[in-house]
Amino acid sequence: MVRVVANTRGYIDGEIRETGEVFTISDALWQDEKRRPKWVDAADAQPVTVPQTTKAKPKQKPAPAKAEQPQGNGVAEALGGPPPDWLPAQGDDG
């Protein structure tokens, strides 16, 4: 049996192996270049350090300029024309 260490997360012998995990594989598998897992190294070669991944915080976009408040109720400006007839006109008591 050959002691190996996982360079990245991988699956072998029915188990998921995490980065840096040390385990053994058969001599026959280790000697077969085509079948040998590419994500492992011999454990006695060099210690594997798990990379520290830090996500950079995205830069915040500047706050939009304060929008001007529309005159009136904003319906005419939003619709681009006079208010609909179902809205009472301002100053109309009924």
Side-chain angles (χ1 to χ4, degrees), residues 42-62:
D44 58 354
Q46 290 182 19
V48 174
T49 57
V50 178
Q52 295 284 339
T53 57
T54 57
K55 292 185 178 181
K57 292 181 181 178
K59 292 184 179 180
Q60 291 182 341
K61 295 180 181 177

Side-chain angles (χ1 to χ4, degrees), residues 14-89:
E15 292 185 47
I16 296 175
R17 306 294 183 155
E18 296 296 330
T19 303
E21 186 174 345
V22 178
F23 57 98
T24 59
I25 60 174
S26 68
D27 291 327
L29 180 60
W30 183 254
Q31 292 171 357
D32 187 349
E33 292 289 328
K34 291 183 182 178
R35 292 182 45 228
R36 179 190 305 175
K38 305 294 186 236
W39 49 273
V40 299
D41 284 328
D44 58 354
Q46 290 182 19
V48 174
T49 57
V50 178
Q52 295 284 339
T53 57
T54 57
K55 292 185 178 181
K57 292 181 181 178
K59 292 184 179 180
Q60 291 182 341
K61 295 180 181 177
K66 196 169 190 177
E68 292 182 23
Q69 293 297 323
Q71 298 296 324
N73 63 6
V75 173
E77 290 82 7
L79 296 176
D85 59 355
W86 48 266
L87 287 178

